[in-house]
Amino acid sequence: MWRKPPSFKRLAVLLCLVVPALAWAFVKPVRVVMPGWADVTCAGALCTDDMRRASEAEQLLAEAQAHVERQVGAFGRRPRVIFCARQACADYFGLGARSAVTLASVATVIGPNAWKPHYVRHELLHHAQSDRLGPITLLFKPAWVVEGMAYGLSEDPRSPLAEPFESQRKAFLDWYGGIDHTQLWPELRKL
């Protein structure tokens, strides 16, 4: 017996309901869109799961924002940053073994071991990259641009970094040394 195929309207409704639900369940970084479900408290663009450490998180974020803006210019869109003091919070957002993660220019999650200036700067540099270049364009940039820039301009004190990150940092800093720093974004768009 022949069955009539589902209408486009029904298929569209199904996709609009199912795809976000699946993303929420399986792509945990997407959860940054609604961090309140992770038992975090937000004040503006800063969220944390431990309000006793909110002042520390505010200081780290303010220092990192100022540092990144000195390096690459003002943010177009201010980042939302979620500071997880507990591993359960980091797990909720899908950090796994990572110390921190930035989801395009939507939000950044800082894990319990990443409450250090260079980690927050690193992630805010990824935010700036996504904000200025676009998340899709960023996917096609070489790793020495994406990670090398974040490690190099964050002034990460670890030296040497584990490979391939040390080589990526060196490649970026070598390239960066040969350009007019006021033309960083146009130069990056050319790559």
Side-chain angles (χ1 to χ4, degrees):
M1 172 181 244
W2 183 80
R3 299 182 95 188
K4 181 179 170 186
S7 70
F8 177 75
K9 191 183 285 186
R10 285 188 4 211
L11 183 59
V13 168
L14 180 66
L15 286 175
C16 288
L17 294 174
V18 172
V19 170
L22 289 173
W24 191 267
F26 297 108
V27 185
K28 291 182 180 182
V30 169
R31 294 176 178 177
V32 298
V33 175
M34 296 180 68
W37 290 18
D39 197 25
V40 300
T41 302
C42 297
L46 186 138
C47 305
T48 185
D49 64 336
D50 185 351
M51 288 306 292
R52 294 169 298 176
R53 295 184 69 189
S55 177
E56 179 186 357
E58 286 173 11
Q59 289 173 356
L60 283 165
L61 181 57
E63 187 281 333
Q65 285 177 330
H67 177 89
V68 171
E69 287 183 341
R70 280 191 307 275
Q71 295 286 336
V72 301
F75 288 99
R77 190 172 144 187
R78 288 276 178 214
R80 167 180 271 175
V81 182
I82 302 163
F83 284 85
C84 290
R86 293 183 285 277
Q87 192 59 44
C89 172
D91 292 343
Y92 177 81
F93 292 108
L95 282 183
R98 297 173 292 189
S99 298
V101 68
T102 295
L103 182 63
S105 55
V106 176
T108 292
V109 180
I110 304 295
N113 298 322
W115 289 51
K116 296 177 179 72
H118 63 279
Y119 279 110
V120 182
R121 293 176 196 156
H122 180 113
E123 295 305 323
L124 292 189
L125 282 158
H126 285 316
H127 173 90
Q129 291 170 333
S130 182
D131 192 44
R132 294 291 186 94
L133 301 174
I136 303 300
T137 300
L138 203 54
L139 291 173
F140 297 99
K141 294 294 179 191
W144 69 264
V145 169
V146 178
E147 288 302 327
M149 178 179 173
Y151 281 110
L153 297 184
S154 69
E155 298 178 4
D156 191 313
R158 297 171 292 174
S159 184
L161 292 165
E163 286 299 341
F165 305 117
E166 185 64 31
S167 296
Q168 292 166 353
R169 174 168 57 184
K170 182 182 179 333
F172 174 80
L173 290 174
D174 288 348
W175 173 84
Y176 187 65
I179 67 162
D180 174 356
H181 297 176
T182 65
Q183 296 300 306
L184 172 65
W185 297 111
E187 292 294 330
L188 285 171
R189 283 184 192 92
K190 293 178 189 177
L191 297 175

